[in-house]
Amino acid sequence: MKRIEQNLNADWLYVPFDLKAAAKANCPEGKFVRVSIPHTNIELPYHNFSEQEHCFVSWYRKHFAVPKLRAGCRVFIDFDGVMIASTVFVNGKQVAAEHKGGYTPFSYDITDFVHPGRRNLMAVRVDSSERSDIPPYGGVVDYLTFGGIYRDVKLRLVDGVYIKHLFVRAGDVPRDRKKVDVSVRVVNTMAEARTVRLTARFWGADAAGVTADLKVPANGEADADLTIAGLAQIERWDLDHPMLYRVSVSLENGDGVETRVGFRTAEFREDGGFYLNDKPMKLRGLDRHQTYAYVGQAAPARMQRKDAEILKNDLACNIVRTSHYPQSPHFLDRCDEIGLLVLEEIPGWQHIGDEAWQAISVRDVETMITRDRNHASIILWGVRINESVDNHDFYTRTNALAHQLDPTRQTGGIRCIWNSELLEDVYTMNDFGYDLKVPGARRYLNTEFCGHMYPTKTFDQEERVKQHALHHAHVQNQIGGMKTAGGIGWCAFDYNTHAVFGSGDRICYHGVMDIFRQPKFAAFFYASQVEPEKRIVLEPATYWKQGDKSGGGVEPLVIFGNVDEVEVFIGCESRGRFKPDRERYRNLPRPPFVIKSLGETWGKNWADVRVVGYIDGKQAAERRVCYDGIPARLEMVADDKTLSADGADMTRISLGITDGYGNILPFAIQPVALKLKGPGVLVGENPFSMPGGRGAVYVRSTRKPGTITLTAETARLKRQKLTIRTKPA
Ligand code: GAL
């Protein structure tokens, strides 16, 4: 039979407490509320809350239909991620022992628990407390894991003989190995051995396929390896042209699975460099936590995908590290599609637990790699607990397992102790110095810098926000001059954390963007490294206010851009043309402009600044900043105009108070009141306090399609209004 996969995200029932009777089929449901997955067990303010607030047991119930089953058919329930431990009951019976771990998927065969042809009831007990028996917990952790069924749920019906997983290795195009190698694991749940005919197909300009027979023992599994060769017309996957192809495998009984594949080579070499498709490439990236304001990790596919786009397009990164856990499949899919390299790692933070804890961690290695090894974007597996001490036996196991499951990729293991034992292929080190050490290891990647060395808020004074950006520029410049693979800075976005980290309001202000994904000046530094052929960037890193800086004044005026030259006007008067600071930042593709000789004037001649950027002597961009700081406009922008009416889809609504030229005024901190009408839910604080003159709320769909209108009001500025449509899911 053809497999049937049904998304089971909608219409769950939820209680935010431990209701023992919830497992029972006949439990009264009056106390439950209707929710959709992805779901957070509690919505929180974006800061100023306790890390204990999401640490509780909750229950989810889902009524679902199971059709009449053909002989031999198996029914599965697939969870992409439940934070942090879960126990599943079907029709009142416990299906398996508690599942421990919130960052990797798990599945249960529930065939023997369901009533075919009838309604069924699934209940899930979710423990979201910080359990010391489960990674990352046991010590302190600088991030929050939040809670709930926060990733997709699926019902899957398969034949008694079915495909468990698929590993596709694309050939090496530069060396003319134009083929794909396909490894398939087939499961036979029947009482007698079966020989199955498998067909693997490549879907491209030259579609091709191969067939093989595989004997699978009774109640057992077997692996088949197939090669589809002679693919003459394939195009490579690279960052500017992330070409993906489909590969499918089917069984003659109708079962089938499909995945995507990209033809590329990725290698950290002994000469210190990283090579994509045999070409050296300096890796420049940022670490990403997958947490969001108000909803923790429960962001829908759309927002996960958007983060990848922000990293690639707005921050001009070529790599992201999924610190410190396997991240959303939707995020990784988007990395494949847009060409953003990924270093993915197992859950953990400094602490290594006992044997049972380590066993979960080894299982995490296995699940992460089995889930993600077909992603073209992933170039390195992180198989150590972030910043942990050496543990020879444990890390020998994780490395061996990674190499066995995926012989095509190298391993790293993120460390902060110099000269710690290297069992991995690449020495991946968090070096937070401003004067980076020259590594002894031949293959070396800096996986964290800046971060806690210089926490920076959007509402800090200009010199700090500017210095924060220059620290990133300084370190990336050093990395540019070293014979190493590159650097991944801490970090992309501000994130919620525990009391012992961060600024006391449960935020680590380490991002180059804030928790709402709005830019600090450091984001402009990253943005400016993009080739001007792709996008022109010109961003003066200034509030252009003379009294905000220690000692006053606006110099040095720092401008991030990818133009050859800038001209700075104060009012109508040109104060000169300036070149980027190639002296100090000689290893950056596009050094910042650091201007100290504007001939600043005080008093009544002070005026707006106008910056003109030139490429090849021609004007390419212009930016202005008002001198007077009076709020001119309230801005409200939705990332998306249309949502799916599935009850979980959500889009960000960015807010900003700007000067007359559209620059955010960092000290325009005044409440904005929001009003939502129509079939949507406002997620976030209302009124919103606008730290740094900006911020965001989210609009979530309900199960009802229609038109949502949102209005925003603040004192003395024109009211804003927008509409979002939701379409049947
Ligand atoms: C590192 C750690 C990160 C984060 C960072 C802050 O040591 O790996 O998770 O805490 O420091 O700068």
Side-chain angles (χ1 to χ4, degrees):
M1 65 173 265
K2 257 192 133 169
R3 65 171 60 199
I4 300 170
E5 292 189 328
Q6 191 194 334
N7 175 302
L8 224 57
N9 283 352
D11 298 324
W12 287 71
L13 297 170
Y14 173 70
V15 284
F17 48 85
D18 193 2
L19 180 69
K20 299 269 175 323
K24 299 209 174 90
N26 61 358
C27 170
E29 292 181 334
K31 291 207 171 83
F32 287 77
V33 293
R34 194 166 287 268
V35 301
S36 284
I37 310 296
H39 180 254
T40 176
N41 65 349
I42 183 170
E43 274 175 26
L44 292 161
Y46 76 89
H47 69 159
N48 296 324
F49 60 87
S50 155
E51 58 270 50
Q52 290 308 308
E53 288 182 49
H54 63 266
C55 295
F56 57 86
V57 171
S58 59
W59 282 86
Y60 292 77
R61 280 164 72 87
K62 169 76 187 167
H63 295 272
F64 64 105
V66 174
K68 289 217 169 101
L69 302 177
R70 292 211 209 159
C73 170
R74 309 304 299 180
V75 183
F76 284 87
I77 183 83
D78 299 332
F79 290 92
D80 276 356
V82 181
M83 192 58 74
I84 192 168
S86 49
T87 317
V88 176
F89 302 80
V90 171
N91 297 323
K93 290 203 191 102
Q94 186 170 336
V95 164
E98 183 188 54
H99 177 83
K100 297 180 182 188
Y103 290 109
T104 42
F106 56 96
S107 292
Y108 297 124
D109 181 338
I110 55 170
T111 318
D112 299 338
F113 297 83
V114 295
H115 307 313
R118 283 166 44 198
R119 303 286 294 169
N120 290 264
L121 184 271
M122 176 160 52
V124 187
R125 178 186 190 271
V126 180
D127 183 355
S128 303
S129 52
E130 301 187 341
R131 297 246 309 248
S132 59
D133 58 331
I134 305 175
Y137 292 112
V140 289
V141 178
D142 176 19
Y143 57 94
L144 300 185
T145 47
F146 297 97
I149 304 183
Y150 78 106
R151 284 185 186 162
D152 300 343
V153 187
K154 213 167 52 199
L155 185 71
R156 176 165 49 100
L157 273 66
V158 294
D159 194 89
V161 181
Y162 67 93
I163 297 168
K164 188 172 182 186
H165 52 67
L166 186 65
F167 179 26
V168 179
R169 276 110 47 225
D172 186 346
V173 186
R175 287 174 197 83
D176 213 33
R177 289 200 279 270
K178 295 179 177 171
K179 56 164 193 167
V180 284
D181 294 316
V182 183
S183 300
V184 198
R185 177 156 304 170
V186 179
V187 179
N188 177 12
T189 61
M190 314 302 277
E192 65 283 345
R194 287 285 169 92
T195 298
V196 291
R197 173 149 295 189
L198 292 148
T199 304
R201 282 201 184 81
F202 177 80
W203 304 86
D206 34 24
V210 292
T211 297
D213 289 333
L214 176 72
K215 189 165 180 202
V216 195
N219 294 310
E221 303 184 347
D223 291 325
D225 291 306
L226 299 97
T227 295
I228 309 173
L231 306 173
Q233 302 179 58
I234 42 181
E235 289 171 46
R236 270 196 230 166
W237 184 95
D238 66 33
L239 301 195
D240 289 330
H241 183 64
M243 186 67 195
L244 293 169
Y245 293 94
R246 285 189 298 134
V247 172
S248 65
V249 175
S250 55
L251 303 184
E252 64 196 334
N253 68 13
D255 190 45
V257 295
E258 187 179 292
T259 190
R260 293 190 301 189
V261 63
F263 290 83
R264 56 113 187 98
T265 58
E267 212 184 332
F268 292 82
R269 291 194 187 157
E270 293 239 324
D271 64 5
F274 169 74
Y275 291 75
L276 185 69
N277 295 322
D278 280 343
K279 284 200 215 102
M281 167 184 292
K282 201 49 124 176
L283 296 172
R284 184 184 59 244
L286 291 161
D287 291 89
R288 174 204 187 224
H289 268 304
Q290 64 174 16
T291 54
Y292 295 79
Y294 319 120
V295 297
Q297 317 203 67
R302 176 189 304 284
M303 284 167 55
Q304 299 287 347
R305 293 169 63 82
K306 173 91 184 167
D307 262 10
E309 290 161 14
I310 291 173
L311 282 152
K312 163 112 187 178
N313 302 331
D314 299 351
L315 299 171
C317 291
N318 54 27
I319 187 167
V320 58
R321 169 173 165 227
T322 67
S323 51
H324 303 292
Y325 35 78
Q327 298 195 348
S328 161
H330 301 296
F331 176 76
L332 296 172
D333 282 346
R334 196 62 186 145
C335 292
D336 288 348
E337 291 163 11
I338 63 178
L340 176 63
L341 302 172
V342 179
L343 154 49
E344 187 171 41
E345 70 184 339
I346 50 171
W349 206 85
Q350 295 190 350
H351 168 81
I352 301 176
D354 61 12
E355 263 178 43
W357 191 103
Q358 289 175 34
I360 297 177
S361 192
V362 171
R363 182 215 60 196
D364 282 341
V365 172
E366 177 173 1
T367 319
M368 169 178 81
I369 295 179
T370 319
R371 187 191 75 164
D372 290 336
R373 58 192 167 173
N374 293 330
H375 284 284
S377 56
I378 297 178
I379 56 162
L380 192 65
W381 300 119
V383 297
R384 281 174 76 110
I385 301 303
N386 173 60
E387 296 191 335
S388 54
V389 294
D390 284 342
N391 186 321
H392 182 83
D393 293 347
F394 179 30
Y395 293 137
T396 300
R397 274 170 83 195
T398 59
N399 273 285
L401 182 59
H403 286 130
Q404 178 214 320
L405 292 169
D406 181 6
T408 72
R409 286 182 184 84
Q410 292 166 305
T411 59
I414 286 69
R415 59 193 74 228
C416 63
I417 302 167
W418 286 104
N419 303 321
S420 45
E421 187 185 15
L422 181 64
L423 295 164
E424 294 74 29
D425 302 308
V426 186
Y427 206 85
T428 39
M429 180 75 188
N430 296 345
D431 181 353
F432 280 93
Y434 290 127
D435 192 7
L436 298 178
K437 287 210 179 133
V438 178
R442 283 194 288 264
R443 299 188 185 95
Y444 181 91
L445 174 67
N446 186 341
T447 37
E448 283 185 42
F449 52 85
C450 288
H452 63 282
M453 304 301 286
Y454 211 78
T456 301
K457 306 176 180 72
T458 51
F459 45 97
D460 274 329
Q461 65 178 141
E462 177 193 295
E463 66 192 307
R464 187 167 188 97
V465 189
K466 182 161 69 182
Q467 188 54 51
H468 175 233
L470 290 175
H471 281 322
H472 276 272
H474 169 79
V475 178
Q476 289 286 11
N477 177 58
Q478 272 192 52
I479 290 168
M482 291 167 82
K483 280 197 171 156
T484 64
I488 304 178
W490 192 264
C491 59
F493 315 120
D494 292 349
Y495 55 97
N496 291 127
T497 192
H498 292 91
V500 292
F501 301 96
S503 297
D505 62 347
R506 301 305 186 274
I507 292 185
C508 259
Y509 291 92
H510 298 174
V512 304
M513 290 184 152
D514 68 12
I515 199 165
F516 307 107
R517 281 69 174 150
Q518 294 198 353
K520 304 175 190 172
F521 290 156
F524 297 151
F525 157 66
Y526 280 91
S528 68
Q529 300 308 294
V530 76
E531 299 87 337
E533 297 73 38
K534 289 190 182 144
R535 186 163 78 93
I536 302 224
V537 176
L538 183 65
E539 297 284 359
T542 177
Y543 299 167
W544 203 248
K545 303 295 167 291
Q546 286 194 305
D548 186 49
K549 194 170 147 256
S550 314
V554 293
E555 289 184 5
L557 171 64
V558 173
I559 298 167
F560 295 110
N562 52 9
V563 294
D564 310 333
E565 201 180 14
V566 293
E567 184 168 12
V568 179
F569 296 81
I570 300 181
C572 298
E573 192 187 324
S574 171
R575 299 296 173 103
R577 284 196 176 211
F578 306 90
K579 297 273 188 204
D581 188 348
R582 289 198 203 289
E583 259 314 286
R584 181 188 277 249
Y585 301 99
R586 61 172 61 103
N587 305 309
L588 286 178
R590 276 150 282 271
F593 298 80
V594 182
I595 302 165
K596 295 182 182 143
S597 51
L598 281 176
E600 234 183 296
T601 30
W602 281 92
K604 59 181 178 186
N605 290 332
W606 189 237
D608 298 350
V609 65
R610 178 160 73 99
V611 177
V612 178
Y614 298 94
I615 295 178
D616 295 333
K618 288 196 208 91
Q619 179 167 338
E622 187 193 75
R623 290 292 312 270
R624 295 170 196 242
V625 187
C626 271
Y627 84 94
D628 76 354
I630 293 179
R633 206 178 125 78
L634 169 64
E635 288 198 338
M636 174 167 70
V637 181
D639 284 347
D640 303 277
K641 294 204 159 48
T642 312
L643 295 177
S644 159
D646 63 4
D649 200 6
M650 203 157 77
T651 189
R652 176 183 63 163
I653 312 293
S654 299
L655 299 162
I657 293 177
T658 66
D659 69 9
Y661 302 121
N663 303 294
I664 298 233
L665 291 168
F667 308 125
I669 301 172
Q670 58 184 63
V672 170
L674 299 145
K675 248 188 229 136
L676 182 142
K677 276 199 198 136
V681 179
L682 184 69
V683 179
E685 287 164 58
N686 185 20
F688 184 77
S689 58
M690 301 292 282
R694 75 200 81 183
V697 293
Y698 299 105
V699 167
R700 184 162 57 217
S701 68
T702 62
R703 299 282 284 129
K704 208 174 128 206
T707 302
I708 302 166
T709 58
L710 186 69
T711 53
E713 265 178 349
T714 191
R716 305 172 62 153
L717 295 175
K718 189 166 165 247
R719 206 178 96 166
Q720 296 297 315
K721 183 172 167 185
L722 58 77
T723 58
I724 294 168
R725 290 189 40 210
T726 68
K727 291 201 174 149

